[in-house]
Every structure is written in structure tokens, then in C-alpha cells.
Amino acid sequence: MRRKLAAGNWKMNGLRAGLSEMQALAEAHATPTVDILLCPPATLIAPARVTLGGSPIALGGQDCHAETSGAFTGDVSAEMLKDAGARAVILGHSERRDLHRETSEEVRLKANRAQAAGLMTVICLGESAFQREATNTLDIIGAQLSLSVPDSSTGENLVVAYEPIWAIGSGQVPSPEQIGEVHTFMRARLEHRFGSGVGRSVRLLYGGSVKGENAAEIFSIPDVDGALVGGASLKAADFSPIVTALEEA
Ligand code: 13P
């Protein structure tokens, strides 16, 4: 059985004062029946670990470099995230692919290093609105999946998040059929590549305008094992109903 996962991506939001939101979430979900992962800016990982104390809420980074250390001004390595208290890292988010021109090959190199460092990698895939209209979405997702996911992946160190770019921050959510089609496809591709044991143990998240109001419907879709939440993960009052919906799914 795959353990469900509610993940929050704070993106470039959050100062130390915002750690009170994490504390509130930890208090509201002291003994969650799903995994909870929060990925704040790298500057907040170490102080957040202190704030969270013994809470089962895990912390993650939002990107890492493909090298362990060296002359890479401004970058952060997987080892550094781990050292700060992270257990996971988001890689290949569309904002990195678009704004930083990251390719799937680079995402795979980063994921290789992160998995070697003992981090769980949350690898993001997704088509643009243009791609959905002009081409076959499954071709786009299939190519991103095979090129971004490293061979060293297992059910423990890999999570795949389907985030259609047009749904991120837009309030536009794909239909359950559209989400289901992509998740079923990703599951089949993972089983084909890694065998059914590993392929069936990898958790698949949906991301893009997930809110308390639409979470239950999204979590009822087969092969949706949780969500990667942006805006609604910043406030405990918004994220908590999503965690509860996942627990009840
Ligand atoms: P929103 O939930 O704000 O649409 O963001 C989704 C996302 O990009 C999570 O990584």
C-alpha cells in the first residue's frame, strides 16, 4: 500500500515569522495518518526543523545542484539540504524548467545526486496549455518522465508530481478524467520501466490549484496518492483541510 502524501511547496515565500503557520499545522495534525511534507525556501529549513520539534511533518528543499560542492555561486547541494534537516527535494518544477531553462536531463542528474544523498525526490512533470492543444499530452509527459527520473529510483526515494502548467496558480483544474488519464499512464510507464513492484510503490501526486474545496474530488481519482500544493500550503488554515481530505480519501 502506498502511504498518501500531502506536500506543500512554499516557492519563494516565507520569512521566519511564517514558521508560526508550520507550528499551527503541526498542532492540528499531531498524529497524521498520511505523510506531510513542507518545502519552504532553503533559508527556513533549519529553523523550521527546530520549530517542528518532534512533529512527523517532514521538510524538503525546492531544488538542488547536481554536484555535492564546489564553485557554484548561489547554488545549494542535496547534502546541504539534508544537513539542514530536509528529507526530500522537489526537482524539475515547471517554474525551474521555464524560468531557469532546466532540461529533463539536468533534472535527472540532480535527482541522481539527491537520491545518493538519501533524499526523497519529488520530480515534477507537466504540459503547457499550448502543448495540450497542439500535441499529445501523454507524449510530453512520457518524455519528461523517462528523461527526468533516474535509474536509481525506488518507491522510497521517488515521488512523481503531475502539474499541468496551465493549472498552477490559475484556479483552473483539469477534469478528473484528464488527471486520471495522465496518472494511469504514468503508473503504467513506471511499472514498465521498473517492474510492477517498484512501479506500483511510487507515489503519484497531482498539483495545480488544489484547495480545500476540490481536494476530496481530486483524491478520489485512481492513482492519485496525494497533492503537491502551492498557494494553499502557505497558511495552516488552508492546508489543513487538504490534509484532512487526504486522510479521509
Ligand atoms: P498552486 O497550488 O498555487 O496552483 O501551485 C501548484 C504548484 O506549483 C505546486 O508545486
Side-chain angles (χ1 to χ4, degrees), residues 9 11 93 95 163 167-170 207-211 228-232:
N9 174 8
K11 309 192 178 183
H93 192 280
E95 286 148 21
E163 298 206 313
I168 295 176
S170 65
S209 297
V210 177
K211 306 270 180 287
L228 180 55
V229 183

Side-chain angles (χ1 to χ4, degrees), residues 103-117:
T103 64
S104 290
E105 287 81 358
E106 286 166 329
V107 173
R108 188 178 69 245
L109 293 175
K110 291 177 173 202
N112 250 325
R113 183 68 63 177
Q115 291 180 354

Side-chain angles (χ1 to χ4, degrees), residues 17-51:
L19 293 175
S20 58
E21 294 295 333
M22 282 200 195
Q23 182 148 23
L25 189 75
E27 280 163 15
H29 300 277
T31 52
T33 56
V34 299
D35 287 347
I36 303 175
L37 169 68
L38 288 176
C39 300
T43 49
L44 285 186
I45 292 173
R49 197 58 268 163
V50 175
T51 299

Side-chain angles (χ1 to χ4, degrees), residues 111-193:
N112 250 325
R113 183 68 63 177
Q115 291 180 354
L119 293 179
M120 182 178 82
T121 50
V122 181
I123 297 182
C124 303
L125 319 170
E127 82 287 1
S128 65
F130 174 78
Q131 286 170 325
R132 183 166 269 275
E133 275 167 33
T135 59
N136 184 349
T137 295
L138 298 185
D139 287 344
I140 303 284
I141 300 300
Q144 289 179 350
L145 185 67
S146 56
L147 292 172
S148 307
V149 169
D151 289 335
S152 53
S153 298
T154 67
E156 284 76 48
N157 68 18
L158 175 67
V159 172
V160 178
Y162 170 52
E163 298 206 313
I165 298 170
W166 49 276
I168 295 176
S170 65
Q172 242 187 307
V173 180
S175 69
E177 291 72 28
Q178 286 174 317
I179 296 174
E181 179 189 34
V182 173
H183 280 240
T184 304
F185 171 78
M186 295 194 298
R187 177 72 64 212
R189 291 292 292 255
L190 288 168
E191 285 188 38
H192 181 259
R193 176 167 166 193

